[in-house]
Amino acid sequence: MTKHSKNNTASSIFSYAEYKKLDYGTKKQRLGNESMRRFDACALCLNRAREPLACNEGHLFCKECVYTDLLTQKKDIKRQKEKLETMRREIEEEKAKAKLAARERVLKEFEKGQLSLGSHNASAISSGTSIANSSNPLKRKFNFSSSTVESLALEAEEAALRQIEVEQREALKAKLPDFWLPSLTPTYTGKGDAESVKSLEDVKLQTTCRGGNPKHALTMKSLIPVKFTFETSSKPNSKDSDQQAICPSCKKVLSNNTLIFLSKPCAHVTCKTCTDTLVKPAKQCVVCDTALKVPDDSKGGKEGKNDIIELRREGTGFAGGGLAETSKAGIAFQG
């Protein structure tokens, strides 16, 4: 065995320490407690929520932050709707232009046919004028039908329109393909086709919640106020930011390792233990005795309206639940 084969550099794989020193591939890092958002923090500004509001999924926001975000989304939606309306108008104009071009082509082809027939049969018509003027009782009469003529004209226009589309595709194929320009790709078929119109009609725009993933629909009317109960401090000069939120029933200090539930009608917040033992069996709030609608546990707890929702939290950093790990994707070249 050679000396070089005994060295660590002869290995075909990296050790754990060597791999950590490389700036290669996807990097993963476990999040600690300092990287977690507090349970009473706004999901947008990440500070303690001022005049807190919650959505139906339990995401917490400041009133000012969520209203500003929803108004910004509404402005963007209005701008997108105007853009979609402009695109729809352009598609209709292109369809009208294509139909007009098809109708002109049909008329030109008809005139060419009439001119060729007239020049070809000029001698026959001049020689047969005497026969035409003579009365023939057995001559078949021609019945003119406007509906038949219209149907034939529509069929001719549709055939001409299809021919124009084929010619446009062939003209685009003759050019060099530019894949960064949609109108010059080899598979481009034009803006006025039925698929593009259908795709514009299927677009649905709705304001969404930015507090969690996946996103869900959110409106200002569906926001729920949240009232935290704070412990009374013995210090006279204590600030509001120093006060800790507690459960109004058991006086337990709320934190990220506590499951917290919100009563929608009265906006009071209680811990999981008090919610399971006091609020749900009595179907009323422990603070103001407001009646609550709770689904029946005998039916699995999934049927009926539920006035109690869980406030979302990120976790403690020491448990497997929540956002415990983050990753950063890197470039990995393989030869």
Side-chain angles (χ1 to χ4, degrees):
M1 184 178 292
T2 61
K3 181 179 179 182
H4 181 71
S5 63
K6 297 179 181 179
N7 296 335
N8 191 26
T9 56
S11 177
S12 60
I13 60 174
F14 291 115
S15 65
Y16 180 78
E18 291 172 341
Y19 180 77
K20 285 296 181 183
K21 291 180 181 180
L22 289 176
D23 189 13
Y24 179 85
T26 302
K27 298 294 182 181
K28 294 183 179 180
Q29 180 67 40
R30 187 171 178 84
L31 298 177
N33 186 28
E34 66 279 358
S35 300
M36 298 295 177
R37 188 176 72 242
R38 283 177 53 90
F39 70 95
D40 58 349
C42 173
L44 297 176
C45 68
L46 306 182
N47 296 320
R48 174 173 280 189
R50 301 180 301 274
E51 299 183 33
L53 298 174
C55 66
N56 289 322
E57 297 294 330
H59 302 124
L60 196 67
F61 305 97
C62 297
K63 183 177 182 179
E64 181 181 358
C65 295
V66 69
Y67 278 16
T68 304
D69 181 61
L70 290 176
L71 290 175
T72 304
Q73 291 188 47
K74 286 183 177 181
K75 290 181 180 179
D76 294 340
I77 288 173
K78 184 179 180 181
R79 194 180 304 113
Q80 291 178 14
K81 285 183 177 180
E82 292 176 354
K83 186 176 180 180
L84 289 176
E85 189 64 29
T86 305
M87 293 173 62
R88 190 178 290 108
R89 199 181 305 114
E90 291 177 355
I91 290 173
E92 295 296 334
E93 291 177 357
E94 289 186 2
K95 289 176 67 177
K97 290 180 181 179
K99 286 183 178 181
L100 184 60
R103 185 173 299 174
E104 291 178 355
R105 176 173 293 192
V106 170
L107 290 175
K108 287 181 180 179
E109 291 179 354
F110 179 76
E111 290 176 356
K112 286 181 181 179
Q114 291 296 322
L115 290 175
S116 62
L117 286 174
S119 61
H120 182 70
N121 299 329
S123 58
I125 293 173
S126 60
S127 62
T129 51
S130 59
I131 301 174
N133 292 330
S134 61
S135 61
N136 187 4
L138 300 177
K139 187 177 180 180
R140 186 171 55 185
K141 294 182 179 180
F142 177 73
N143 295 326
F144 181 80
S145 176
S146 59
S147 60
T148 305
V149 173
E150 290 179 359
S151 62
L152 292 175
L154 288 176
E155 290 178 1
E157 288 180 5
E158 290 177 357
L161 186 60
R162 288 193 294 269
Q163 184 64 26
I164 290 174
E165 290 179 357
V166 171
E167 291 176 359
Q168 289 178 353
R169 293 194 194 102
E170 294 297 331
L172 287 174
K173 287 182 180 178
K175 296 182 180 180
L176 291 175
D178 294 334
F179 293 96
W180 54 90
L181 296 176
S183 60
L184 296 180
T185 53
T187 57
Y188 179 73
T189 59
K191 298 181 181 178
D193 53 355
E195 293 182 359
S196 59
V197 177
K198 186 177 180 181
S199 63
L200 288 179
E201 292 176 354
D202 293 341
V203 173
K204 294 181 180 179
L205 301 174
Q206 174 68 39
T207 54
T208 57
C209 175
R210 307 283 183 89
N213 193 18
K215 296 180 180 179
H216 58 90
L218 179 65
T219 59
M220 290 186 180
K221 293 182 179 180
S222 63
L223 291 171
I224 308 163
V226 181
K227 296 179 182 178
F228 287 105
T229 303
F230 297 97
E231 60 180 356
T232 56
S233 177
S234 58
K235 299 179 181 179
N237 297 327
S238 61
K239 299 180 180 179
D240 294 339
S241 59
D242 298 335
Q243 294 181 349
Q244 293 182 336
I246 61 174
C247 175
S249 178
C250 63
K251 307 302 179 183
K252 178 183 178 180
V253 177
L254 302 179
S255 61
N256 278 27
N257 58 0
T258 307
L259 293 177
I260 307 169
F261 289 86
L262 169 67
S263 301
K264 293 168 66 175
C266 60
H268 288 118
V269 178
T270 53
C271 66
K272 177 177 173 56
T273 304
C274 296
T275 303
D276 292 339
T277 57
L278 299 175
V279 179
K280 288 184 177 180
K283 295 184 179 181
Q284 65 180 12
C285 178
V286 295
V287 180
C288 58
D289 296 335
T290 303
L292 304 175
K293 295 181 180 179
V294 181
D296 192 0
D297 294 335
S298 61
K299 298 181 180 179
K302 297 181 179 180
E303 296 182 1
K305 185 179 179 181
N306 190 6
D307 286 340
I308 301 174
I309 60 174
E310 180 183 355
L311 292 180
R312 302 295 179 182
R313 57 196 177 87
E314 287 195 345
T316 60
F318 302 99
L323 301 176
E325 190 179 59
T326 183
S327 61
K328 179 182 179 181
I331 301 175
F333 295 100
Q334 295 182 0

